[in-house]
């Protein structure tokens, strides 16, 4: 089983960026721990981060036929990107939307997600733990699908 974790703009700055909102964990440390968790679950996990919308779209397209599930923290593109929405829908790969912060408890422009209605589920507001909860969620979903 192959899972892809996609991170969008500014998430490469995790650990330094607004730590009162996003915490002190770096993306690298989150990814290292996710890799360990995936190894224990006998699942392959790949990582891709970009600040560019087009590069994220390209990565989703490359994952067709390769990834069984996607976890995506699209950062600010969550609230704006029809291109990412279309790429995810077009790929037909099931995905979970992830946010470190509770976007609904923040500015109004963060309350809208262009990705949420087609997601398996959303994990938002648990800091770095959101990624691990999302991993558990997508794995449960994919294993259930596999056993059908
Ligand atoms: C975020 C929330 C977004 O609104 C914001 O633009 C981010 C991070 C989160 O993980 O909480 O870049 O996706």
């Amino acid at each position: 089983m192959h899972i892809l974790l996609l991170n969008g703009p500014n998430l490469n700055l995790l650990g330094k960026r607004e730590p009162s909102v996003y915490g002190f964990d770096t993306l690298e440390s989150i990814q290292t721990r996710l890799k360990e968790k995936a190894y224990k679950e006998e699942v392959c996990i790949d990582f891709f981060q970009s600040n560019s919308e087009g590069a994220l779209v390209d990565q989703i397209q490359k994952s067709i036929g390769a990834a069984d599930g996607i976890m995506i923290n699209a950062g600010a593109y969550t609230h704006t990107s029809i291109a990412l929405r279309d790429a995810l829908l077009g790929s037909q790969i099931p995905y979970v939307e992830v946010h470190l912060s509770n976007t609904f408890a923040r500015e109004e422009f963060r309350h809208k997600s262009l990705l949420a209605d087609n997601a398996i589920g959303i994990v938002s507001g648990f800091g770095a733990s959101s990624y691990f909860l999302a991993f558990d969620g997508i794995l449960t979903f994919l294993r259930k699908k596999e056993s059908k």
Side-chain angles (χ1 to χ4, degrees):
M1 192 177 288
H2 282 80
I3 292 175
L4 172 67
L5 172 62
L6 287 176
N7 275 285
N10 301 307
L11 292 159
N12 53 317
L13 296 180
L14 278 185
K16 289 183 224 146
R17 171 195 182 201
E18 298 179 80
S20 61
V21 179
Y22 299 115
F24 288 97
D25 289 298
T26 63
L27 186 57
E28 202 186 346
S29 83
I30 293 168
Q31 292 183 165
T32 302
R33 283 181 282 147
L34 274 173
K35 204 161 196 137
E36 285 162 10
K37 194 170 160 71
Y39 181 79
K40 283 185 196 141
E41 295 287 353
E42 298 181 7
V43 167
C44 290
I45 188 160
D46 293 312
F47 305 112
F48 183 80
Q49 187 278 329
S50 179
N51 295 323
S52 144
E53 191 177 15
L56 292 162
V57 169
D58 286 341
Q59 196 60 36
I60 293 166
Q61 291 188 4
K62 276 187 202 152
S63 304
I64 299 172
D68 300 295
I70 292 177
M71 306 194 302
I72 180 164
N73 184 348
Y77 293 144
T78 306
H79 318 297
T80 62
S81 179
I82 299 170
L84 277 182
R85 177 189 174 85
D86 286 350
L88 286 163
L89 266 179
S91 77
Q92 294 187 301
I93 302 170
Y95 65 92
V96 173
E97 178 178 330
V98 187
H99 299 286
L100 295 122
S101 63
N102 176 357
T103 53
F104 296 98
R106 301 181 63 195
E107 303 96 321
E108 207 173 323
F109 62 83
R110 294 185 207 274
H111 297 184
K112 185 184 164 83
S113 164
L114 295 185
L115 314 180
D117 59 324
N118 294 305
I120 303 163
I122 307 158
V123 184
S124 183
F126 297 96
S129 300
S130 290
Y131 287 97
F132 301 92
L133 295 166
F135 180 83
D136 287 340
I138 200 159
L139 199 56
T140 304
F141 173 88
L142 291 173
R143 284 195 169 142
K144 206 165 164 184
K145 196 173 139 195
E146 212 176 47
S147 70
K148 270 184 192 161

